[in-house]
């Protein structure tokens, strides 16, 4: 086996053990690859149509592929390079991913392909010094002189957005030519965060969790942000869809979910986490397909299934013989559990006389029989009581 | 100072939310909760730090609420549950997070994604290293992170930082002492030949070894040479049929990104592969192994790997 003759006339030993022959072989292959690259460069100079359609990233003046790479889950730098080859021109990472290892992995590719992508990373909120230190570390890890979009990682409230320290640190870094645009990422309490980004007026981009199973309120807020000129990057587009099996559609549920978001005109790019070449290929298809009526129906099914655990605020539960107003309690529950805004939840709960109201509950469960979604309302009462009372 | 206050505030804010986490993680089995809670030191391991009851628990469905942006990294390794405990003396705090990864090899896998050969390593558990706020280590089926935040005083911030690390180290050692030793499944690492291997470069992947969806349950390590870094890998696919299928998939991928030459048809191929460089792959019963980014003279490296695989396959 070791010395079996190859079809090329070489042997494995020739190929890997004999340095001279190996060097010649690799040199030949390298030359061939060089020619390929020259050809690619020539093609680029003719500006062929990009493999993935480009969209404006808000008012930044940058153009990004509508499907982009979230590097967080990528296990190998080769996937990052393949994504760039396939037309993904926006790559997103973060200082905290894998304790900084993720940025270093992306950096191995940026060392050669930096000019081809819009590069985004994140820093954790903190002092001005800590933000500047984090961005400087990111520059080093990413092997670049400038980061296109530097983002506050995981803003959960308006205060984080409005923190003057963030703007001061960003301005200083921008003045030094190290960063170009400021972004905010959010995955909880998103609507107030989006509103704050619009209000401050200096946020260039937002990375927002949004998908087919989300409500219209969030969609409206995102649309408003885009109208204000903020570049909209969407993550978590597969939320609520991941666990569904293949349907009768030609598309997989993830492809449907990505396409659904891509169809929103107020979205600039969908940032998808791609672990492997196979996932990359699956997601790439989403950029070149259209949703059928069946696909849309399937997505509504997924959304309905996700909604089974969400109160629609219909008010059907209100006819309580004890005078409890379940809808009000559910609203407080929503603020606390869905929006993560405990301050507001508590304020609303106390304002409505929540403790006294809950004390009146006899636990009969009539409200649950009225709920069209069969929510376990009494369990939520207990949750609200333990949290807010 | 800011960070200290932030963590202390986070600790204090999160405490009232314990009931939420417990409700939302209601499907963390009681025995798992107990097993994780039993690993926590009772307090007093450093100064007057005391455990702030109760402990918070998270499962796969709500881990992102606690470590969004990193949850997927743990979930990819079959994360089971997290116990998060805060110790406080009123002014200072230590946060201990214990991740149950179901199997030692998966615990090592998560740990290895955070580890870099250049880390400041410490002998805690199987191995640990210093992070910006404390320590991360693994032992048995657990991955543990410990963060300490001590009130900084303007006159001696270095002392305060040193104190914080001492507290974190005390907590880490107290937890490590309670985790039972278990290295089952880690023999895969022994198949990577030691000569030329960069220390602490080994990684374990449950899925998508080398970014390939068809390569599972594998280890990868780096072998630097003049002008580059080769990576050797070994996947244990569980059965010869599964390994043969993975070989076939790999050959298909390589054909799409290079011109493979099968040195032993159905069992071994060689190619210069786009994205990976010189690649050699071979099949041996349930194992698929090889190297990528290989130097011109990689025979010694690959022969060492092949010998180890052959021995393991024969057992």
């Amino acid at each position: 086996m070791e010395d079996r003759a190859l079809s090329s006339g070489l042997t494995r030993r020739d190929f890997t053990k004999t340095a001279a022959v190996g060097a010649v072989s690799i040199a030949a292959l390298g030359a061939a690859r060089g020619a390929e690259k020259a050809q690619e460069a020539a093609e680029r100079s003719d500006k062929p149509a990009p493999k993935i359609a480009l969209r404006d990233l808000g008012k930044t003046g940058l153009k990004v592929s509508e499907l982009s790479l979230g590097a967080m889950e990528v296990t190998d730098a080769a996937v990052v390079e393949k994504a760039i080859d396939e037309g993904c021109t926006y790559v997103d990472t973060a200082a905290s991913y894998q304790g900084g290892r993720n940025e270093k992995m992306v950096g191995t590719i940026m060392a050669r392909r930096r000019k081809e992508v819009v590069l985004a990373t994140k820093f954790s909120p903190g002092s001005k010094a800590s933000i500047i230190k984090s961005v400087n570390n990111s520059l080093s890890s990413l092997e670049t002189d400038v980061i296109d979009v530097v983002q506050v990682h995981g803003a959960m409230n308006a205060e984080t957005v409005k923190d003057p320290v963030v703007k001061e640190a960003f301005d200083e870094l921008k003045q030094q030519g190290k960063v170009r645009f400021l972004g905010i990422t959010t995955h909880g309490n998103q609507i107030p965060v989006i509103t704050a980004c619009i209000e401050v007026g200096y946020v260039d981009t937002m990375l927002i969790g949004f998908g087919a199973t989300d409500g219209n309120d969030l969609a409206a807020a995102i649309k408003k942000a885009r109208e204000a000129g903020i570049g909209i990057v969407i993550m978590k587009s597969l939320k609520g869809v991941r666990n569904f099996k293949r349907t009768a559609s030609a598309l997989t549920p993830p492809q449907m979910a990505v396409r659904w978001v891509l169809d929103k005109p107020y979205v600039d790019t969908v940032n998808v986490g791609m672990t492997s070449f196979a996932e990359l290929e699956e997601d790439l298809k989403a950029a070149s397909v259209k949703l059928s009526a069946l696909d849309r129906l399937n997505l509504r099914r997924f959304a309905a299934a996700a909604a089974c655990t969400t109160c629609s605020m219909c008010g059907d539960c209100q006819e309580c013989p004890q005078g409890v107003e379940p809808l009000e309690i559910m609203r407080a529950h929503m603020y606390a559990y869905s929006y993560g805004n405990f301050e507001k939840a508590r304020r609303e709960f106390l304002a409505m006389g929540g403790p006294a109201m809950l004390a009146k509950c006899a636990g009969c469960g009539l409200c649950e029989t009225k709920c069209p979604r069969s929510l376990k309302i009494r369990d939520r009462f207990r949750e609200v009581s333990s949290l807010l009372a | 100072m800011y960070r200290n206050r932030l963590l202390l505030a986070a600790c204090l804010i999160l405490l009232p939310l314990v009931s939420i986490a417990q409700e939302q993680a209601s499907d963390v089995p009681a025995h798992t909760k107990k097993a994780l809670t039993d690993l926590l030191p009772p307090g007093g391991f450093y100064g007057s730090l005391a455990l702030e009851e109760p402990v918070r628990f998270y499962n796969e469905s709500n881990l992102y609420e606690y470590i969004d942006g990193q949850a997927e990294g743990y979930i990819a390794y079959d994360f089971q549950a997290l116990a998060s405990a805060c110790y406080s003396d009123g002014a200072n705090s230590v946060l201990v997070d214990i991740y149950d990864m179901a199997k030692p090899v998966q615990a090592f896998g998560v740990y290895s994604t955070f580890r870099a050969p250049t880390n400041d390593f410490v002998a805690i558990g199987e191995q640990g290293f210093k992070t910006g706020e404390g320590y991360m280590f693994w032992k048995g089926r657990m991955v543990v992170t410990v963060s300490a935040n001590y009130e900084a005083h303007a006159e001696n911030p270095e002392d305060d930082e040193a104190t914080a690390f001492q507290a974190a180290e005390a907590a880490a050692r107290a937890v490590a002492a309670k985790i039972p030793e278990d290295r089952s499944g880690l023999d895969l690492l022994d198949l990577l030949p030691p000569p030329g291997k960069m220390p602490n470069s080994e990684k374990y992947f449950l899925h998508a070894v080398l970014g390939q969806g068809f390569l599972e349950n594998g280890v990868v390590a780096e072998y630097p040479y003049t002008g580059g870094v080769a990576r050797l890998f070994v996947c244990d696919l569980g059965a010869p049929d599964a390994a043969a299928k993975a070989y076939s998939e790999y050959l298909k991928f390589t054909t799409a990104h290079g011109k493979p030459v099968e040195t032993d048809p159905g069992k071994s191929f060689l190619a210069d592969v786009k994205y990976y460089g010189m690649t050699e792959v071979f099949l041996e019963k349930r194992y698929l192994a090889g190297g990528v980014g290989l130097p011109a003279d990689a025979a010694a490296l690959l022969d060492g790997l092949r010998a180890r695989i052959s021995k393991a396959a024969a057992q």
Side-chain angles (χ1 to χ4, degrees):
Chain A
M1 185 174 72
E2 292 287 319
D3 290 313
R4 183 187 174 91
L6 305 183
S7 57
S8 63
L10 297 177
T11 65
R12 171 188 167 303
R13 293 278 179 201
D14 287 331
F15 218 139
T16 61
K17 195 169 184 178
T18 308
V21 177
V24 169
S25 305
I26 293 169
L29 288 159
R33 188 174 290 170
E36 280 173 23
K37 283 184 177 168
Q39 176 67 24
E40 285 168 14
E43 286 169 2
R44 272 201 296 278
S45 68
D46 292 330
K47 293 186 179 173
K51 288 182 177 177
I52 302 174
L54 302 179
R55 299 186 185 184
D56 292 325
L57 183 62
K59 289 197 297 192
T60 61
L62 298 172
K63 282 194 179 290
V64 294
S65 56
E66 60 181 17
L67 188 75
S68 54
L69 177 68
M72 182 182 68
E73 294 179 69
V74 174
T75 58
D76 199 284
V79 179
V80 178
E81 187 150 30
K82 171 73 172 173
I84 296 169
D85 280 350
E86 293 299 329
C88 287
T89 65
Y90 186 90
V91 176
D92 179 89
T93 178
S96 65
Y97 293 166
Q98 295 155 2
R101 300 283 290 158
N102 194 263
E103 279 190 334
K104 286 183 190 293
M105 179 194 69
V106 172
T108 61
I109 304 301
M110 290 304 108
R112 289 180 282 116
R113 311 286 299 265
R114 176 67 185 89
K115 288 179 181 172
E116 297 171 60
V117 300
V118 173
L119 182 60
T121 191
K122 313 181 190 82
F123 59 81
S124 297
S127 66
K128 183 178 168 184
S130 75
I131 292 171
I132 289 172
K133 185 179 174 189
S134 177
V135 172
N136 282 328
N137 286 341
S138 293
L139 284 164
S140 169
S141 297
L142 291 165
E143 299 192 34
T144 185
D145 297 327
V146 59
I147 295 164
D148 296 309
V149 183
V150 65
Q151 306 161 103
V152 177
H153 200 162
M156 298 289 277
N157 51 52
E159 289 70 33
T160 303
V161 176
K162 294 176 179 176
D163 187 347
V165 164
V166 170
K167 182 72 166 63
E168 286 167 23
F170 173 75
D171 285 345
E172 190 170 317
L173 288 162
K174 189 174 182 180
Q175 202 167 27
Q176 293 168 359
K178 293 178 175 175
V179 298
R180 299 177 70 193
F181 298 101
L182 175 64
I184 298 285
T185 79
T186 176
H187 41 70
N189 199 25
Q190 295 196 117
I191 293 175
V193 173
I194 294 169
T195 304
C197 287
I198 298 169
E199 284 172 3
V200 297
Y202 54 72
V203 173
D204 299 304
T205 73
M206 288 200 73
L207 177 60
I208 302 165
F210 177 59
T213 57
D214 280 309
N216 291 334
D217 290 354
L218 181 58
I222 296 171
K223 190 178 176 191
K224 208 170 165 183
R226 185 61 182 82
E227 286 166 357
I230 297 174
I232 302 298
V233 184
I234 296 300
M235 62 177 167
K236 300 183 194 297
S237 54
L238 307 186
K239 186 177 59 178
V241 172
R242 217 182 271 270
N243 295 330
F244 287 95
K245 303 297 177 196
R246 184 174 288 275
T247 65
S249 167
L251 304 182
T252 63
Q255 286 169 342
M256 286 180 211
V258 170
R259 185 66 249 178
W260 185 88
V261 179
L262 284 172
D263 285 344
K264 306 299 167 199
Y266 47 82
V267 169
D268 296 333
T269 183
V270 182
N271 201 246
V272 186
M274 305 168 194
T275 313
S276 63
F277 278 74
E279 284 187 7
L280 171 62
E281 282 167 17
E282 180 183 15
D283 294 333
L284 285 170
K285 283 180 190 163
S288 59
V289 295
K290 286 188 176 178
L291 289 180
S292 66
L294 179 63
D295 297 330
R296 292 180 191 284
L297 183 66
N298 273 323
L299 282 168
R300 280 203 290 275
R301 271 181 46 223
F302 302 154
C308 282
T309 57
T310 309
C311 175
S312 67
M313 302 287 155
C314 66
D316 288 357
C317 56
Q318 289 291 70
E319 296 171 23
C320 172
Q322 307 300 326
V324 178
E325 295 182 47
L327 184 59
E328 294 305 309
I329 307 292
M330 295 298 271
R331 195 185 308 282
H333 187 279
M334 179 189 71
Y335 286 133
Y337 285 80
S338 298
Y339 295 169
N341 190 338
F342 299 98
E343 194 183 327
K344 183 174 175 63
R346 189 174 176 80
R347 197 166 57 237
E348 295 280 331
F349 182 68
L350 294 176
M352 76 177 74
M357 198 186 288
L358 282 181
K360 289 193 290 185
C361 175
C364 67
L366 180 64
C367 52
E368 292 181 5
T369 66
K370 301 277 186 185
C371 177
R373 292 186 171 185
S374 303
L375 298 179
K376 291 180 178 175
I377 296 173
R378 287 173 294 179
D379 283 354
R380 297 194 179 195
F381 283 4
R382 279 190 281 276
E383 289 169 356
V384 168
S385 179
S386 65
L387 177 64
L388 304 174
Chain B
M1 185 74 155
Y2 180 91
R3 203 177 59 189
N4 291 352
R5 284 182 179 164
L6 200 66
L7 188 83
L8 186 59
C11 246
L12 295 173
I13 289 166
L14 287 170
L15 286 175
L17 308 185
V18 164
S19 56
I20 304 171
Q22 286 179 329
E23 287 294 332
Q24 291 178 335
S26 55
D27 51 348
V28 172
H31 64 88
T32 302
K33 286 184 181 177
K34 184 177 183 313
L36 288 171
T37 306
D38 287 348
L39 299 178
L40 292 164
F45 56 84
Y46 191 86
S48 55
L49 289 169
L51 177 62
E52 302 278 4
E53 295 277 6
V55 176
R56 289 168 285 136
F57 295 96
Y58 298 86
N59 63 9
E60 181 184 339
S61 65
N62 66 354
L63 182 63
Y64 74 94
E65 292 173 9
Y66 184 56
I67 53 164
D68 199 10
Q70 294 197 44
E72 288 84 353
Y74 287 86
I75 291 166
Y77 283 91
D78 200 20
F79 163 78
Q80 300 292 299
L82 161 67
S84 180
C86 186
Y87 295 82
S88 172
D89 63 7
N92 310 303
S93 58
V94 170
L95 192 62
V96 176
D97 290 338
I98 305 176
Y99 298 82
D100 181 348
M101 300 308 302
K103 293 177 183 174
V105 71
Q106 288 161 191
F108 171 74
V110 167
Y111 171 82
S112 69
T113 63
F114 285 86
R115 178 179 72 168
T118 51
N119 282 137
D120 186 0
F121 291 102
V122 291
I124 299 177
E126 289 289 344
Q127 188 191 58
F129 61 86
K130 235 176 172 178
T131 65
E133 296 82 28
Y135 295 90
M136 180 177 204
F137 72 91
W138 78 281
K139 185 180 179 187
R141 54 192 270 179
M142 308 296 169
V143 173
V144 182
T145 62
V146 181
S147 309
N149 277 271
Y150 269 60
E151 194 68 33
H153 302 95
E155 64 274 18
N156 55 356
E158 292 83 9
D159 289 351
D160 294 318
E161 189 173 329
T163 306
F165 274 98
Q166 283 168 12
E169 185 176 344
R173 291 194 184 285
V175 175
K178 290 186 160 204
I179 299 174
E181 285 198 17
D182 185 357
R183 288 183 57 88
S184 53
L186 285 152
D187 42 355
L188 206 52
L189 286 169
D190 299 333
L191 298 180
L192 294 165
K197 184 169 66 180
M198 183 185 285
N200 297 307
S201 69
E202 306 93 335
K203 291 184 189 297
Y204 169 78
F205 297 93
L206 187 56
H207 306 291
V209 182
L210 300 174
Q212 300 295 354
F214 50 82
L215 294 181
E216 299 187 333
N217 190 38
V219 289
V220 180
E222 295 179 1
Y223 291 76
Y225 61 92
T226 306
V229 178
R231 289 183 292 164
L232 297 194
F233 72 93
V234 182
C235 295
D236 182 349
L237 281 307
D241 285 356
K245 191 178 171 194
Y247 174 89
S248 173
E249 290 283 330
Y250 207 154
L251 188 58
K252 193 173 149 191
F253 170 84
T254 305
T255 304
H257 296 89
K259 291 178 181 170
V261 177
E262 282 199 273
T263 48
D264 189 0
K267 288 189 174 177
S268 179
F269 67 81
L270 183 68
D272 184 14
V273 186
K274 192 173 183 187
Y275 308 116
Y276 293 94
M278 285 302 296
T279 298
E280 180 158 353
V281 174
F282 60 89
L283 175 68
E284 183 85 43
K285 294 191 178 171
R286 66 177 205 254
Y287 297 103
L288 193 68
V292 298
L294 297 168
D297 186 356
L301 204 56
L302 289 165
D303 288 349
L305 176 65
R306 195 184 284 268
R308 284 168 176 263
I309 301 289
S310 295
K311 193 175 171 188
Q315 286 172 353

